[in-house]
Amino acid sequence: MQTAGLFITFEGIDGAGKSTHIAALAEAFRAQGREVTLTREPGGTPLAEKLRELVLNDPMDPLCEALLMFAARRDHLQQVIEPALARREVVLCDRFTDATFAYQGAGRGFDLAVLGQLERWVQAMPAQDGRLRQPDLTVWFDLPPAVAADRLAGARLPDRFESQPQAFFERVAAGYGDRLRQDPARFVRVPSDQPREAVWRAVRLSFEQRGWLQVEGVR
Ligand code: TYD
């Protein structure tokens, strides 16, 4: 079993059902004796959680939105993600930069070249000789926006993103597809319009195939 640090991110439109699978993966890694850091974006540090409050609730333009997402990300990388990877932990992060490309870029129509520049500034890490920190794997829960809308309907008070029309989520989903095509080796796409148990099997299998989780039942 691999003992280097692992940085795994989870993506998908609102309602795609990431949370239960992230929790189950944390459990599976811990059962194998790995230390796990469970975290999320925007957020994950006291400063970044304050920025999350603002960006999810206060009206602002897409440039403000993108800058706050990346400001939160910089603090999160420095305070939480990089130290945990240095301790060889498994970092499971609910959303990361692909969400900025999908939501602020494809969803809001913000300039992708500017987002690319911000990505290069924010994810350049001194401990890696300035190379960009990127996830070792990104699990994309791919759910048709119409299905997600049904799942979210009446669930709770929607935030600034959840209250967007379905057309917005169509663009966000397409944005995730574009990111996958640019770096297919980093992604696993999990079709998520199927029972939760089937989604979990697909997620688990992709970790077993990489040798990151033991095949269930095999010791
Ligand atoms: P999420 O944590 O999935 O929401 P919740 O906890 O309410 O299920 O994500 C919060 C929202 O932030 C989600 O609608 C997507 C959005 N978001 C962006 O627009 N850009 C980003 O870079 C990130 C990380 C999230």
Side-chain angles (χ1 to χ4, degrees):
M1 282 290 126
Q2 168 157 352
T3 51
L6 273 181
F7 180 32
I8 317 289
T9 62
F10 301 87
E11 299 286 356
I13 59 174
D14 293 88
K18 296 173 273 113
S19 329
T20 51
H21 302 296
I22 297 174
L25 272 173
E27 184 107 330
F29 274 109
R30 285 179 178 134
Q32 288 186 188
R34 296 292 307 258
E35 291 290 329
V36 175
T37 289
L38 258 184
T39 188
R40 68 169 180 183
E41 291 213 348
T45 70
L47 171 61
E49 290 291 332
K50 286 187 204 160
L51 296 176
R52 176 188 177 95
E53 268 304 303
L54 295 175
V55 84
L56 293 191
N57 298 306
D58 290 25
M60 63 185 72
D61 86 331
L63 173 57
C64 268
E65 225 173 79
L67 291 173
L68 290 181
M69 293 294 181
F70 273 110
R73 182 159 302 134
R74 180 72 183 175
D75 194 52
H76 190 212
L77 274 165
Q78 287 184 316
Q79 306 293 335
V80 173
I81 298 173
E82 291 299 317
L85 292 174
R87 295 191 301 268
R88 298 169 174 262
E89 293 185 11
V90 178
V91 177
L92 303 179
C93 186
D94 187 346
R95 299 190 185 281
F96 193 62
T97 300
D98 298 307
T100 316
F101 278 84
Y103 280 77
Q104 281 64 52
R108 301 271 200 229
F110 189 68
D111 191 332
L112 297 180
V114 175
L115 294 183
Q117 183 63 56
L118 290 167
E119 179 183 34
R120 286 189 289 279
W121 280 341
V122 165
Q123 288 166 232
M125 288 292 132
Q128 303 209 106
D129 301 326
R131 275 179 298 122
L132 293 199
R133 170 63 70 194
Q134 293 289 12
D136 296 297
L137 183 71
T138 297
V139 181
W140 172 27
F141 295 96
D142 188 14
L143 186 70
V147 180
D150 283 349
R151 286 192 190 171
L152 280 179
R156 60 179 170 187
L157 208 59
D159 62 32
R160 284 178 65 234
F161 296 102
E162 290 161 347
S163 57
Q164 291 294 314
Q166 196 175 310
F168 175 83
F169 290 107
E170 300 281 357
R171 294 195 297 277
V172 172
Y176 278 125
D178 291 341
R179 288 288 279 181
L180 176 146
R181 277 183 289 281
Q182 284 158 21
D183 193 1
R186 175 166 67 80
F187 277 88
V188 56
R189 186 182 79 86
V190 179
S192 300
D193 189 9
Q194 47 177 344
R196 185 172 289 181
E197 193 48 41
V199 174
W200 168 243
R201 276 198 301 279
V203 170
R204 171 139 198 149
L205 184 65
S206 63
F207 282 75
E208 291 173 353
Q209 285 169 338
R210 286 169 176 76
W212 294 343
L213 283 178
Q214 283 159 359
V215 177
E216 264 188 326
V218 177
R219 289 273 150 194

